[in-house]
Amino acid sequence: MTALQDQVAEFLAAHDPKTLPRLDFLRARFDAGLAWVYFPPGLGGQAAPRAEQAGVDAAFAEAGAPDNQPGRNTIGLGMAGPTILAFGTDEQRKRHLRPLWTGEEVWCQLFSEPGAGSDLAALATRAVRDGDDWVVTGQKVWTSGAHNAQWAILVTRTDPDVPKHQGMTYFLCDMTAPGIEVRPLRQITGEAEFNEVFLTEVRIPDAHRLGAVGEGWKVAQTTLMNERVSIGAVAQPREGGMLGVLTKTWRERPELRTPQLRDRLVQLWVEAESLRLAGDRLRQQLTAGAPGPEGSAMKVAFAELNQKLSGLEIELLGEEGLRYDDWTLRRPESVDFTGREAGYRYLRAKGNSIEGGTSEVLRNIISERVLGLPSEPRVDKDVAWKDLPR
Amino acid sequence: MNSPDLLYSDVEEDLRASVRALLTDRADAAAVLARTESTEPYDLGLWRTLAADLGAAGLMVPESLGGHGASARETAVVLEELGRSVAPVPFLGSAVLATAALLPTGDELLSPLASGELTAALAVPLTTAPGSPFPATVRADGTLTGQVRTVADASAAATFVVPAVSTSDGPGLYAVDSSAATVTEVVPLDLTRRIADVTFSGATARPIVLGPAAESALDSALSTAAGLLASEQTGLAEWALTETVTYLKGRYQFGRPVGGFQSLKHRLANLYTELVNARATARYAADALAGGYDVPIAVAVAQARAAPVAVHATEEAVQLHGGIGMTWEHPLHLYLKRAKSDELAFGTPGRHRTRLAELVDLPG
């Protein structure tokens, strides 16, 4: 037993998860420094090695303790939290990290825009200083969970007269503020997991600015880096995820099998297993304190694999593959790539190579930052944002 | 399930550094290329240094049997480096295949093999996959008679470990002095790993192990070789990728480095992604072989994944090098030939997938 495991045991002895109300339990766990143990003392942690986190979570789970429902607040936990820790004032950290971790406040991410996808730094949502406030107007898109969120991380354009990377500022945005309108964005699956968010003269106090004026790109880089680290951060069992769905069908439905499908299935089995092992290797490198650049490669491979697996599943199902479970517009609380039926899985997987950096952008990153090949020509580098063609 | 260690230990990195320094010094591309057309296709001086002075031949052999008491993990690191240099040494045939066949038997040959004094070869076709039926092309009736085709590193071997079948004892492994065999080198696709047909005509032989123990020793050797070959394939792929990246940074066309064109960058990014995956499977197979857990699946996955990655990486390297990639003077072709031959060694990827389907219960 490590010292942390002892602490968990002591904490559980003093806080019975069976009798204590869920939120009280989570708040007490945060205050005891047993939430994200690698965070600093007073902010839910105790500056322990990051590798210890999994063991602590497992110990709480084993005791039947309530968790903070990470699936409902992936943006908050994976991206907003680390960014607030890195760039927030003491006041901002104190105010936000606790309700973020307990899930009392769910976060969303106001980054992408209709005119700024892969080229995020081209974004056009304007923030203009007005006394102690900023007045923000613009449109954001692909905002997952905006309909459940109380807070958002937001990147805006504060200076259109300088090149695009220099004129951005990062804010923490109260999603209940007047002038914010969230509209469901219906996807090819029929549901609306994402939203469009319209901001019309939304007033954000300067105290909610994260990082310096004009430093928004730097702050956003931290957010995006954490997004890529969080992909593949959890150990998978063999035959987990999409592959497990497919092998289960294969074993239970002998009438669907053909030799040709079998070899394709085994090929994908091999791909999935090697990707799983590569993920294990990456995590072992991170634990040993030497982060490898494999993360982007993992994401490209994961997207491709999911698309191939879900495509094969439809073929395997034959006639059933022609049917779809439900086209009704709904707004799910959390995302499960393997949830619902084969058709949904096939269509949802198409997003895996677009969200969180398209596979094309990630291949640029791999080839430039890992392999050291020349960068793409940058025709927009020295041009003021307002003069860029759009 | 054990928790596998997929990284390289400090000791393994030290070993890698020693092997790489030796190969850089003694097996640069020009030397390797020149040797392919010489009358001595193996660099036996280099082999002695690697096997004896660096102790690479005895890594898998316990100290009690005269070895260094390391494991398949360290042997895998040596194979990665040999893959990176395609150095013409009989490491796979002698230090991996023949040694692994003898390991379960504790035979007296292990000590001279481990010290590098003896070079041996396991007399099986290089294409033999783990799980294959015991070969029956050689009969053992007092002496050995029969032929084994396509034996790797046979012409460098002083002793053959020969699977043979006798009427009274069934399957067995026998030790035969190479002077008692006829070794006919064939023209190989892979110029840096020689193959030969080996014929025995009433050859004097010493039985090493008979019966089911012989079958399991042979299968263990094939399994070890197939699993560790994935590390050689990782080394081949890594060399091909690194070499191509370097070339494309320095090659200018249309007024800019060719490596700046996105269509090429993305192909190299894909190769990198494949390499990351191949390396993970190779490390897993090495760790599984060292720890004796999950071996059949680990080996099948590693061969099914790493073999095509090495072929793809070397094929892409030829294409992306343009004209120079088609020349004899550039060493790339040696890697392509090795990678394509390795794809057949110890079972093709398709064969390993078929085996895997049985192992993980994906019925046909």
Side-chain angles (χ1 to χ4, degrees), chain A residues 50-63:
Chain A
R50 194 174 183 137
E52 304 273 353
Q53 185 68 41
V56 170
D57 289 341
F60 275 106
E62 207 169 300

PDB file of all heavy atoms in Angstrom, chain A residues 50-63:
ATOM      1  N   ARG A  50       1.608  12.022 -11.461  1.00  0.00           N
ATOM      2  CA  ARG A  50       0.378  11.802 -12.214  1.00  0.00           C
ATOM      3  C   ARG A  50       0.023  10.316 -12.298  1.00  0.00           C
ATOM      4  O   ARG A  50      -1.150   9.935 -12.342  1.00  0.00           O
ATOM      5  CB  ARG A  50       0.545  12.377 -13.618  1.00  0.00           C
ATOM      6  CG  ARG A  50      -0.756  12.504 -14.341  1.00  0.00           C
ATOM      7  CD  ARG A  50      -0.600  13.212 -15.682  1.00  0.00           C
ATOM      8  NE  ARG A  50      -1.938  13.338 -16.263  1.00  0.00           N
ATOM      9  CZ  ARG A  50      -2.389  14.415 -16.855  1.00  0.00           C
ATOM     10  NH1 ARG A  50      -1.640  15.477 -16.964  1.00  0.00           N
ATOM     11  NH2 ARG A  50      -3.610  14.443 -17.351  1.00  0.00           N
ATOM     12  N   ALA A  51       1.063   9.499 -12.304  1.00  0.00           N
ATOM     13  CA  ALA A  51       0.858   8.050 -12.441  1.00  0.00           C
ATOM     14  C   ALA A  51       0.045   7.473 -11.288  1.00  0.00           C
ATOM     15  O   ALA A  51      -0.534   6.390 -11.402  1.00  0.00           O
ATOM     16  CB  ALA A  51       2.208   7.345 -12.534  1.00  0.00           C
ATOM     17  N   GLU A  52      -0.009   8.202 -10.157  1.00  0.00           N
ATOM     18  CA  GLU A  52      -0.720   7.689  -8.986  1.00  0.00           C
ATOM     19  C   GLU A  52      -2.240   7.799  -9.138  1.00  0.00           C
ATOM     20  O   GLU A  52      -2.994   7.189  -8.394  1.00  0.00           O
ATOM     21  CB  GLU A  52      -0.305   8.456  -7.726  1.00  0.00           C
ATOM     22  CG  GLU A  52       1.187   8.441  -7.448  1.00  0.00           C
ATOM     23  CD  GLU A  52       1.606   7.225  -6.651  1.00  0.00           C
ATOM     24  OE1 GLU A  52       0.705   6.482  -6.208  1.00  0.00           O
ATOM     25  OE2 GLU A  52       2.819   7.012  -6.485  1.00  0.00           O
ATOM     26  N   GLN A  53      -2.674   8.631 -10.087  1.00  0.00           N
ATOM     27  CA  GLN A  53      -4.100   8.941 -10.173  1.00  0.00           C
ATOM     28  C   GLN A  53      -4.953   7.690 -10.387  1.00  0.00           C
ATOM     29  O   GLN A  53      -5.983   7.507  -9.734  1.00  0.00           O
ATOM     30  CB  GLN A  53      -4.353   9.944 -11.300  1.00  0.00           C
ATOM     31  CG  GLN A  53      -5.789  10.427 -11.400  1.00  0.00           C
ATOM     32  CD  GLN A  53      -6.176  11.283 -10.190  1.00  0.00           C
ATOM     33  OE1 GLN A  53      -5.403  12.103  -9.717  1.00  0.00           O
ATOM     34  NE2 GLN A  53      -7.384  11.073  -9.664  1.00  0.00           N
ATOM     35  N   ALA A  54      -4.520   6.843 -11.297  1.00  0.00           N
ATOM     36  CA  ALA A  54      -5.333   5.668 -11.640  1.00  0.00           C
ATOM     37  C   ALA A  54      -5.578   4.798 -10.416  1.00  0.00           C
ATOM     38  O   ALA A  54      -6.695   4.310 -10.189  1.00  0.00           O
ATOM     39  CB  ALA A  54      -4.640   4.867 -12.746  1.00  0.00           C
ATOM     40  N   GLY A  55      -4.554   4.631  -9.594  1.00  0.00           N
ATOM     41  CA  GLY A  55      -4.685   3.806  -8.396  1.00  0.00           C
ATOM     42  C   GLY A  55      -5.678   4.404  -7.409  1.00  0.00           C
ATOM     43  O   GLY A  55      -6.468   3.679  -6.787  1.00  0.00           O
ATOM     44  N   VAL A  56      -5.625   5.726  -7.264  1.00  0.00           N
ATOM     45  CA  VAL A  56      -6.549   6.402  -6.346  1.00  0.00           C
ATOM     46  C   VAL A  56      -7.992   6.251  -6.845  1.00  0.00           C
ATOM     47  O   VAL A  56      -8.898   5.890  -6.083  1.00  0.00           O
ATOM     48  CB  VAL A  56      -6.157   7.891  -6.204  1.00  0.00           C
ATOM     49  CG1 VAL A  56      -7.232   8.674  -5.462  1.00  0.00           C
ATOM     50  CG2 VAL A  56      -4.814   8.011  -5.498  1.00  0.00           C
ATOM     51  N   ASP A  57      -8.192   6.504  -8.137  1.00  0.00           N
ATOM     52  CA  ASP A  57      -9.541   6.360  -8.705  1.00  0.00           C
ATOM     53  C   ASP A  57     -10.062   4.940  -8.517  1.00  0.00           C
ATOM     54  O   ASP A  57     -11.228   4.726  -8.179  1.00  0.00           O
ATOM     55  CB  ASP A  57      -9.538   6.719 -10.196  1.00  0.00           C
ATOM     56  CG  ASP A  57      -9.347   8.216 -10.427  1.00  0.00           C
ATOM     57  OD1 ASP A  57      -9.575   8.993  -9.472  1.00  0.00           O
ATOM     58  OD2 ASP A  57      -8.961   8.603 -11.546  1.00  0.00           O
ATOM     59  N   ALA A  58      -9.161   3.979  -8.746  1.00  0.00           N
ATOM     60  CA  ALA A  58      -9.566   2.574  -8.623  1.00  0.00           C
ATOM     61  C   ALA A  58      -9.972   2.252  -7.186  1.00  0.00           C
ATOM     62  O   ALA A  58     -10.957   1.544  -6.952  1.00  0.00           O
ATOM     63  CB  ALA A  58      -8.434   1.661  -9.084  1.00  0.00           C
ATOM     64  N   ALA A  59      -9.211   2.791  -6.226  1.00  0.00           N
ATOM     65  CA  ALA A  59      -9.523   2.520  -4.819  1.00  0.00           C
ATOM     66  C   ALA A  59     -10.898   3.087  -4.444  1.00  0.00           C
ATOM     67  O   ALA A  59     -11.677   2.440  -3.731  1.00  0.00           O
ATOM     68  CB  ALA A  59      -8.437   3.111  -3.926  1.00  0.00           C
ATOM     69  N   PHE A  60     -11.209   4.283  -4.930  1.00  0.00           N
ATOM     70  CA  PHE A  60     -12.530   4.855  -4.655  1.00  0.00           C
ATOM     71  C   PHE A  60     -13.635   4.037  -5.328  1.00  0.00           C
ATOM     72  O   PHE A  60     -14.681   3.773  -4.733  1.00  0.00           O
ATOM     73  CB  PHE A  60     -12.590   6.315  -5.126  1.00  0.00           C
ATOM     74  CG  PHE A  60     -12.048   7.288  -4.108  1.00  0.00           C
ATOM     75  CD1 PHE A  60     -10.821   7.895  -4.285  1.00  0.00           C
ATOM     76  CD2 PHE A  60     -12.778   7.589  -2.952  1.00  0.00           C
ATOM     77  CE1 PHE A  60     -10.319   8.782  -3.342  1.00  0.00           C
ATOM     78  CE2 PHE A  60     -12.287   8.478  -2.010  1.00  0.00           C
ATOM     79  CZ  PHE A  60     -11.050   9.074  -2.197  1.00  0.00           C
ATOM     80  N   ALA A  61     -13.381   3.641  -6.556  1.00  0.00           N
ATOM     81  CA  ALA A  61     -14.387   2.867  -7.291  1.00  0.00           C
ATOM     82  C   ALA A  61     -14.663   1.550  -6.578  1.00  0.00           C
ATOM     83  O   ALA A  61     -15.818   1.112  -6.459  1.00  0.00           O
ATOM     84  CB  ALA A  61     -13.918   2.626  -8.725  1.00  0.00           C
ATOM     85  N   GLU A  62     -13.592   0.939  -6.093  1.00  0.00           N
ATOM     86  CA  GLU A  62     -13.719  -0.352  -5.425  1.00  0.00           C
ATOM     87  C   GLU A  62     -14.573  -0.245  -4.172  1.00  0.00           C
ATOM     88  O   GLU A  62     -15.303  -1.171  -3.810  1.00  0.00           O
ATOM     89  CB  GLU A  62     -12.321  -0.859  -5.058  1.00  0.00           C
ATOM     90  CG  GLU A  62     -12.203  -2.359  -4.979  1.00  0.00           C
ATOM     91  CD  GLU A  62     -10.737  -2.756  -4.877  1.00  0.00           C
ATOM     92  OE1 GLU A  62      -9.975  -2.427  -5.806  1.00  0.00           O
ATOM     93  OE2 GLU A  62     -10.386  -3.356  -3.854  1.00  0.00           O
ATOM     94  N   ALA A  63     -14.471   0.914  -3.505  1.00  0.00           N
ATOM     95  CA  ALA A  63     -15.241   1.121  -2.273  1.00  0.00           C
ATOM     96  C   ALA A  63     -16.689   1.510  -2.563  1.00  0.00           C
ATOM     97  O   ALA A  63     -17.461   1.787  -1.647  1.00  0.00           O
ATOM     98  CB  ALA A  63     -14.569   2.185  -1.420  1.00  0.00           C
TER      99      ALA A  63
END
